[in-house]
């Protein structure tokens, strides 16, 4: 099962656009094309939408969600193999937040598009 690294959610930001009803950015923008301002916008959106909470899975408690204080305006090293879009990323974050223990296959299906993106996001 694919897991979304906290750095992934913190580094990617949403670009302002009308095509993405859920996020701040156009859902069709590829992650590798985001600039630092867009990354900051996405981070803020994710922190507002998915605030940090504790989740306990198999007896282990962890913090999931975003903290705006940790927002990073650096895009990191998004590999050229990463063809995922902002919309696909947001779908993955949403599924991971909704099912932090990965009790079904919803998370792995939603995050499949991020397989070529590594953990730098």
């Amino acid at each position: 099962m694919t897991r979304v690294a906290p750095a992934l959610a913190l580094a990617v930001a949403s670009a302002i656009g009308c095509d993405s009803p859920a996020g701040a950015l156009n859902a069709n923008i590829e992650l590798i094309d985001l600039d630092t301002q867009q990354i900051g916008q996405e981070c803020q959106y994710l922190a507002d939408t998915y605030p940090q909470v504790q989740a306990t899975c198999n007896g282990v408690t962890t913090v999931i969600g975003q903290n705006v204080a940790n927002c990073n305006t650096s895009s990191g090293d998004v590999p050229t193999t990463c063809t995922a879009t902002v919309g696909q990323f947001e779908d993955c974050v949403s599924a991971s937040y909704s099912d932090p223990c990965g009790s079904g296959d919803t998370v792995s299906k939603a995050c499949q598009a991020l397989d070529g993106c590594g953990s730098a996001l």
Side-chain angles (χ1 to χ4, degrees), residues 1-12 46 63-66 89 92-93 96 107 111 114 117-121:
M1 168 187 324
T2 303
R3 281 290 182 197
V4 178
L8 175 63
L10 293 175
V12 178
L46 293 172
V63 175
I64 62 167
Q66 312 312 30
F89 173 72
C92 177
V93 172
S96 299
V107 174
C111 297
L114 299 175
C117 296
S119 61
L121 294 174

Side-chain angles (χ1 to χ4, degrees), residues 35-67:
D35 63 31
T36 55
Q37 180 182 4
Q38 292 170 319
I39 291 168
Q41 291 170 337
E42 182 69 7
C43 185
Q44 180 67 54
Y45 165 75
L46 293 172
D48 291 344
T49 306
Y50 306 105
Q52 285 189 334
V53 295
Q54 289 187 344
T56 301
C57 304
N58 299 322
V60 177
T61 301
T62 187
V63 175
I64 62 167
Q66 312 312 30
N67 180 343

